[in-house]
């Protein structure tokens, strides 16, 4: 698979180069130049298939010439000691649990694949450094996926405040390969520092720096595989149409679903489930996208005013606007409706939903009734966060104590950074250099 920038049709780069560069030098985001039909690889798969088996079978076709079957098997095995889990709840409703990874958030799927694929790609070349601005738990996910990977150092910078759940024995000064650095500033400062560092060519080339943030195609494309997995598990129970409801913030998850559709997955639509931060809904309905000020909600991972994948979304609409208008259905869910959805899912199905998944649940409910889908549409809700990470909200609404698995409770412990720096390029570069 070749990639180009959303802003230009040339030059084209390989998957490996797109992963190791993350962003095209001409601006924009990397998108595939052509989409393959993968139906021959997944239409006849047995519904007992495991996730690593599915990844092993499809990745060599997707990344032909770059991941041979042997490498793909290694990547699948080393990335995925956790699996998605499709639960059929009702004739017209399933939940795809994507929260069984090390940090209890669906982002583990993309990050784990990226880390394992990078290690494989670097086998015959020099070392590389992955620099990421992280917030909240993205740091744990990053540390977990990259820790111990050969030839990779993972530098994570995070804004003032604490980071949790890191294991200091994995840090570079202690013989590991992880460098957490606290920046005396905001998350925006951290993102700016990542861009400045990558654009400081002499420094970036010395350490072979790329970024692992959500726009890296090595994170995004593999996410399409769990949509195929859900389809394989559900297909023999389908009587009518199939729709996925996706809690959407930066729109990576939704775009991964659109790629799965382009690969040939028979699907009738995607619900772009947003909270009050719903400006992209206007764009999807054919109007101009006008970013609105950020609103804080009880589903904070969806509090995004300009999605980082916006240009990718636009490229789908430029190609086939009429088709897209029948493929993506926007919905905007208030905090009150989110809490009601948590209560309803518990009462009706004994399901514990985190607020992000509850946005997707409420959006599906809304669309099924307003579009008269009832009775002939099966909706798969993507569950993006483990309920144990939202114990307070869920316990409040349902009156149920939420059990916390041991692996998730360990994530709550505060960690000390390797360095604390001012939000300046020289400070960051100095802190990195002093680790070697
Ligand atoms: C990141 C995140 C989302 C949003 O996913 P995007 O790909 O950014 O749209 C939804 N739910 C949770 C729990 C998240 O962490």
């Amino acid at each position: 698979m070749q990639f180009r920038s959303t802003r230009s049709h040339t030059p084209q780069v390989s998957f490996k180069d797109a992963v190791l560069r993350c962003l095209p030098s001409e601006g924009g985001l990397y998108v595939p130049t052509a989409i393959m039909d993968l139906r021959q690889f997944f239409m006849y798969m047995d519904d007992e298939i495991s996730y690593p088996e599915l990844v092993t079978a499809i990745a060599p076709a997707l990344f032909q010439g770059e991941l041979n079957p042997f490498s793909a098997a290694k990547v699948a095995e080393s990335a995925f000691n956790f699996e998605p889990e499709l639960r059929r709840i009702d004739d017209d409703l399933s939940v795809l649990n994507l929260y069984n990874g090390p940090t209890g958030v669906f982002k583990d799927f993309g990050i784990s694949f990226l880390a394992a694929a990078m290690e494989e790609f670097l086998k015959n070349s020099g070392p590389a450094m992955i620099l990421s601005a992280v917030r909240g738990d993205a740091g744990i996910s990053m540390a977990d996926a990259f820790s111990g990977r050969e030839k990779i150092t993972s530098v994570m910078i995070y804004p003032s405040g604490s980071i949790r759940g890191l294991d200091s024995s994995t840090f570079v000064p202690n013989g590991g390969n992880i460098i957490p650095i606290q920046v005396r500033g905001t998350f925006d400062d951290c993102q700016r520092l990542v861009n400045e560092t990558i654009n400081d060519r002499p420094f970036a080339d010395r350490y072979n720096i790329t970024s692992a943030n959500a726009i890296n195609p090595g994170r995004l494309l593999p996410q399409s595989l769990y949509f195929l997995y859900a389809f394989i598990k559900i297909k023999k129970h389908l009587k009518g149409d199939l729709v996925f409801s996706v809690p959407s913030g930066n729109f990576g998850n939704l775009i991964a679903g659109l790629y799965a559709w382009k690969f040939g997955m028979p699907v009738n639509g995607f619900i772009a489930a947003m909270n009050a931060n719903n400006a992209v809904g206007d764009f999807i309905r054919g109007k101009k996208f006008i970013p609105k000020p950020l609103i804080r909600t009880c589903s904070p991972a969806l509090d995004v005013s300009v999605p980082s994948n916006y240009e990718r979304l636009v490229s789908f609409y430029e190609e086939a606007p009429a088709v897209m208008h029948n493929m993506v259905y926007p919905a905007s869910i208030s905090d009150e409706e989110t809490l009601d959805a948590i209560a309803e899912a518990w009462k009706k199905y004994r399901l514990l939903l985190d607020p992000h998944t509850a946005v997707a649940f409420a959006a599906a409910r809304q669309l099924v009734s307003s579009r008269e889908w009832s009775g002939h549409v099966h909706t798969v809700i993507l569950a993006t966060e483990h309920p144990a990470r939202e114990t307070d909200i869920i316990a409040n609404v349902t009156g149920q104590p939420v059990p916390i698995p041991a692996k998730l409770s360990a994530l709550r412990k505060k960690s000390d950074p390797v360095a604390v720096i001012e939000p300046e390029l020289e400070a960051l570069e100095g802190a990195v250099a002093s680790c070697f």
Side-chain angles (χ1 to χ4, degrees):
M1 183 179 270
Q2 296 282 302
F3 290 80
R4 63 171 176 87
S5 163
T6 44
R7 296 185 195 170
S8 124
H9 283 260
T10 51
Q12 302 186 355
V13 302
S14 65
F15 178 59
K16 175 183 171 182
D17 285 345
V19 164
L20 294 178
R21 287 180 203 171
C22 186
L23 288 170
S25 48
E26 59 271 43
L29 300 174
Y30 280 121
V31 286
T33 50
I35 298 276
M36 307 182 51
D37 184 341
L38 296 177
R39 275 178 293 189
Q40 56 171 317
F41 298 98
F42 70 82
M43 284 306 273
Y44 308 104
M45 271 178 187
D46 191 292
D47 66 358
E48 299 285 303
I49 196 164
S50 74
Y51 197 62
E53 283 169 343
L54 177 138
V55 174
T56 303
I58 296 190
L62 196 55
F63 305 120
Q64 223 166 32
E66 299 197 71
L67 271 183
N68 61 46
F70 179 72
S71 301
K74 271 203 310 197
V75 168
E77 210 167 284
S78 100
F80 298 114
N81 61 2
F82 53 96
E83 297 209 42
E85 173 193 6
L86 186 89
R87 287 184 57 194
R88 254 181 334 122
I89 306 298
D90 216 335
D91 276 348
D92 57 2
L93 182 69
S94 297
V95 178
L96 180 65
N97 289 341
L98 297 173
Y99 53 57
N100 294 323
T103 70
V105 175
F106 83 99
K107 293 183 176 71
D108 290 334
F109 280 90
I111 295 173
S112 277
F113 184 96
L114 172 68
M118 266 186 77
E119 187 179 45
E120 191 62 26
F121 285 153
L122 292 171
K123 203 156 264 160
N124 302 313
S125 53
M129 180 178 286
I130 192 123
L131 172 63
S132 331
V134 301
R135 172 167 48 185
D137 297 300
I140 315 164
S141 198
M142 214 67 91
D144 198 89
F146 284 98
S147 165
R149 296 271 177 208
E150 305 249 342
K151 296 195 186 172
I152 303 178
T153 306
S154 171
V155 179
M156 310 184 298
I157 57 178
Y158 63 94
S160 296
S162 57
I163 193 163
R164 291 170 189 274
L166 303 185
D167 173 359
S168 61
S169 72
T170 64
F171 296 175
V172 166
N174 306 328
N177 65 332
I178 307 291
I179 307 178
I181 296 175
Q182 187 188 124
V183 175
R184 290 198 188 93
T186 62
F187 183 66
D188 285 343
D189 289 322
C190 295
Q191 284 194 306
R192 172 181 52 82
L193 282 174
V194 168
N195 290 338
E196 285 178 10
T197 312
I198 288 177
N199 288 329
D200 178 0
R201 279 328 314 179
F203 188 81
D205 289 343
R206 178 163 358 127
Y207 293 100
N208 205 1
I209 296 178
T210 182
S211 172
N213 61 23
I215 51 183
N216 192 313
R219 253 180 86 169
L220 183 73
L221 271 172
Q223 285 179 236
S224 60
L225 300 179
Y226 54 65
F227 284 89
L228 299 181
Y229 181 86
F231 168 75
I232 291 158
K233 300 278 165 178
I234 197 76
K235 68 178 177 199
K236 76 173 178 211
H237 303 284
L238 284 180
K239 294 192 193 79
D241 292 350
L242 173 64
V243 168
F244 286 91
S245 185
V246 187
S248 298
N250 277 312
F251 279 74
N253 213 354
L254 190 102
I255 284 170
L258 292 175
Y259 284 131
W261 162 56
K262 293 270 178 178
F263 297 150
M265 178 177 74
V267 56
N268 304 85
F270 294 90
I271 299 171
M274 289 164 276
N275 60 24
N277 297 283
N278 57 12
V280 179
D282 292 338
F283 169 76
I284 294 173
R285 290 187 195 91
K287 288 187 239 148
K288 203 170 146 57
F289 172 61
I290 301 169
K292 299 180 197 166
L294 202 76
I295 301 169
R296 303 241 164 253
T297 73
C298 67
S299 46
L302 312 185
D303 295 350
V304 174
S305 89
V306 181
S308 56
N309 280 295
Y310 176 68
E311 283 194 37
R312 284 196 175 105
L313 193 64
V314 170
S315 71
F316 276 95
Y317 283 81
E318 280 171 352
E319 227 169 74
V323 178
M324 292 307 297
H325 288 303
N326 289 316
M327 204 59 198
V328 182
Y329 303 92
S332 170
I333 302 298
S334 68
D335 272 359
E336 198 189 341
E337 291 167 319
T338 305
L339 300 180
D340 286 349
I342 294 175
E344 186 194 341
W346 173 253
K347 247 212 306 299
K348 214 164 157 186
Y349 303 114
R350 289 291 179 258
L351 268 179
L352 292 175
L353 300 185
D354 78 278
H356 307 88
T357 308
V359 167
F361 180 90
R365 279 279 182 267
Q366 209 178 70
L367 275 145
V368 166
S369 57
S370 71
R371 303 188 74 92
E372 299 179 353
W373 282 350
S374 174
H376 61 95
V377 174
H378 190 97
T379 314
V380 177
I381 312 276
L382 266 58
T384 50
E385 186 185 32
H386 199 294
R389 294 169 45 100
E390 301 278 359
T391 49
D392 293 351
I393 289 190
I394 298 175
N396 248 331
V397 174
T398 63
Q400 291 302 308
V402 183
I404 303 179
K407 77 168 185 205
L408 292 185
S409 62
L411 302 181
R412 297 186 166 199
K413 210 175 79 240
K414 273 192 194 171
S415 320
D416 290 326
V418 164
V420 181
I421 60 164
E422 294 304 316
E424 280 146 23
L425 181 64
E426 304 83 82
L428 175 58
E429 293 184 347
V432 169
S434 73
C435 283
F436 294 90

